[in-house]
Amino acid sequence: MTTMLLFPGDVVPELPTPQKTNTALKVGPGLTYTPPDKVVAHRVGELHVDDRKCAVWMEGNGKRYIPSLNDAVIATVLRSTSDSYILAIPSSTSPAPASIQALLPHLAFPQATKKTRPILHPGCTVYARVSLANKHMDPELECYDAESQKAEGFGELKGGMVFNVSLGMARRLLGDGKKIRQLQLRARKAEGTEAEGGEISNGMEVLEELGRVLAFEIAVGRNGRVWVDSEDTKVTLCVGSCIQKSEYLTGDEQRALVREALRKL
Amino acid sequence: MPKELEPSTCEKNFVLEALKENLRIDGRNFESFRELEISFGEDYGLADVQLGKTRVLARVSAEVSKPFSDRPFDGIFQITTELGPMASPAFETGRFTEQEVLLARLIEKAIRRSNAIDTESLCIVAGQKCWAVRVDVHFLHHDGGLIDASCIAAVAALQHYRRPDVSVDGEKVIIHTLTERVPVPLSILHIPICVTYSFYHGGEVSLVDATLQEEQLRDGDMTITLNKFGEVCQIAKAGGLPIGALALLQCARIALVKVQEITAFLQKRLEEDSAARTRRDNLLESTAQNAR
């Protein structure tokens, strides 16, 4: 698989053909399907093709976060109304809250009733999942997992610090890089060029390396915000700055960066 | 109107707590600037200043106009600063916010009223014709420290600018094009640089060159404008936390070191630029000769 750079308006040249008869082509973010047989990019990025799943999507580094279903985001409470909280979902690069305001119903917490709901004050940081994302409506959030109906880490984030990273980096920290890496490895295997090309970074070596030595809590929002908490201010800062600095580094460079930072700590 | 989002409670607590432990979020000292980068444009009088993520562009232009009737021997010099949504979505065009007015006044006081430019040298024919020099400051990205960055950008652009040469023959004034005669630099008397301090924890902590996040959380701020000779051009402190005289002296002393560093860096960049220009001009001339 060769990665291909597409600009808005470019037509995807080669689409994977479904292997089974009853599967259809899956068109992911960044691409628009124009009947009968054209798929056009609507933002800039790398084209990724997964032949097995018969899916195409774009991987880019946009500036503004646009909510989509089931994304985990880190949002800030603005105010409370009679039945829901109003939250801002700030993107890492655009600080104005009016860009996106989201609704978090008072009862959208695990086992919440009118009496037992958690009280969130304006300024609180919340880790939540997007439960409704339509084009012309305010998005809605929930603080429980869709399947298990349990908290699974969602809810108010107390203490700690929120760091900004780019949207692409946030996705990699959540494990998207691993998937892409697997795809690339598989493609190399198919072409018989396994030994060439060197190591492929999954974009989160920095976390693996930090986690080996330091004790900290972390939550990554797809809106480009990373919440870090630990016992010591210095550790929190170290983790935050390592993540921010590692954006454009390869796996080995990331490991070296972390070792260097730990030595200074 | 989108208002700037306040830092959340946990960010606020963390930043203030870290300051107590002598730590800044970006790992700087309390008394150090972010990484400064100055670059100049193809034309004369275009300076692009990057201070960390903050980015400011200043453009100098000049035209011939009539001097004010009460000052027949002086040229006209003005600075315009406008905060637009390009810098941050929280800014709107055409509406003067308090921040914008303060910024414009501060820059005006720092550069124009401290007589950084010798306006008398801009006079061509007394009472009839003079140069009107204007500096347009554009804000490209806002991450705190707008005052410091725009002041550096404005003085850098002024130093880089060359106006066309003029010759006066009685009543007749001839403006020579840039190719006809070597353009002349503006006569600059001194180079004022602003250093902004932010105060926290009742004045116990003072930071130089705060980022946007730190600016939003500060208790008070103060801007000192100095030149490299240690002459104070202005001290601006619009409200906020009261500061003792000793603390103020201490701030001014640190500011002087910073101003000297910045001036030296600016000078270095200007020399590099002029060297590159000479090299390019020589190259151009030689190719023309060869073609003949």
Side-chain angles (χ1 to χ4, degrees), chain A residues 103-180:
Chain A
L103 236 59
L104 174 64
H106 283 165
L107 299 178
F109 294 87
Q111 280 143 28
T113 60
K114 281 224 151 167
K115 279 176 189 157
T116 60
R117 69 179 173 91
I119 308 288
L120 302 176
H121 298 287
C124 276
T125 309
V126 180
Y127 194 42
R129 184 176 57 81
V130 178
S131 64
L132 177 82
N134 288 334
K135 208 170 185 182
H136 302 292
M137 289 164 68
D138 279 346
E140 277 184 30
L141 303 173
E142 281 172 357
C143 277
Y144 53 80
D145 192 81
E147 283 162 21
S148 64
Q149 307 284 315
K150 292 207 178 96
E152 309 278 359
F154 291 118
E156 190 192 346
L157 301 171
K158 286 178 190 140
M161 174 67 187
V162 182
F163 295 93
N164 290 335
V165 295
S166 74
L167 297 188
M169 181 77 195
R171 284 198 295 270
R172 284 203 294 281
L173 289 176
L174 282 167
D176 287 16
K178 275 193 176 163
K179 280 183 217 154
I180 292 166

Side-chain angles (χ1 to χ4, degrees), chain B residues 98-249:
Chain B
E98 193 183 296
Q99 188 192 9
E100 194 171 344
V101 175
L102 272 176
L103 178 80
R105 279 185 57 84
L106 260 170
I107 296 299
E108 173 114 351
K109 266 201 290 183
I111 300 174
R112 201 168 76 94
R113 295 226 258 150
S114 75
N115 279 334
I117 295 280
D118 177 18
T119 43
E120 281 186 20
S121 72
L122 298 175
C123 180
I124 304 169
V125 179
Q128 303 263 320
K129 283 185 179 67
C130 72
W131 284 107
V133 176
R134 65 181 271 153
V135 186
D136 289 282
V137 183
H138 302 281
F139 300 94
L140 303 186
H141 194 84
H142 176 29
D143 189 29
L146 284 186
I147 295 171
D148 300 9
S150 49
C151 186
I152 296 170
V155 292
L158 282 169
Q159 278 183 286
H160 187 249
Y161 185 65
R162 303 281 184 276
R163 66 170 170 82
D165 200 7
V166 287
S167 57
V168 185
D169 180 18
E171 283 286 284
K172 216 171 95 185
V173 176
I174 304 166
I175 301 172
H176 301 281
T177 58
L178 297 185
T179 44
E180 208 171 45
R181 269 200 202 179
V182 181
V184 283
L186 299 173
S187 122
I188 291 168
L189 300 177
H190 69 122
I191 303 160
I193 302 281
C194 297
V195 178
T196 304
Y197 282 89
S198 305
F199 301 107
Y200 302 84
H201 296 306
E204 275 173 42
V205 178
S206 55
L207 299 185
V208 170
D209 185 30
T211 61
L212 180 61
Q213 193 176 44
E214 288 164 341
E215 271 186 7
Q216 285 174 324
L217 297 171
R218 68 188 171 193
D219 296 333
D221 64 308
M222 176 175 72
T223 303
I224 305 180
T225 311
L226 292 163
N227 57 23
K228 68 174 173 183
F229 309 111
E231 292 164 342
V232 178
C233 305
Q234 69 156 344
I235 295 180
K237 192 170 181 320
L241 202 74
I243 295 298
L246 274 177
L248 198 141
L249 272 178

Side-chain angles (χ1 to χ4, degrees), chain A residues 95 97 123 125 159-161 225 233, chain B residues 3 5 8-11 14 21:
Chain A
T125 309
M161 174 67 187
R225 311 274 273 180
T233 320
Chain B
K3 213 177 83 194
L5 182 62
S8 60
T9 321
C10 72
E11 287 171 85
F14 187 85
E21 296 179 31

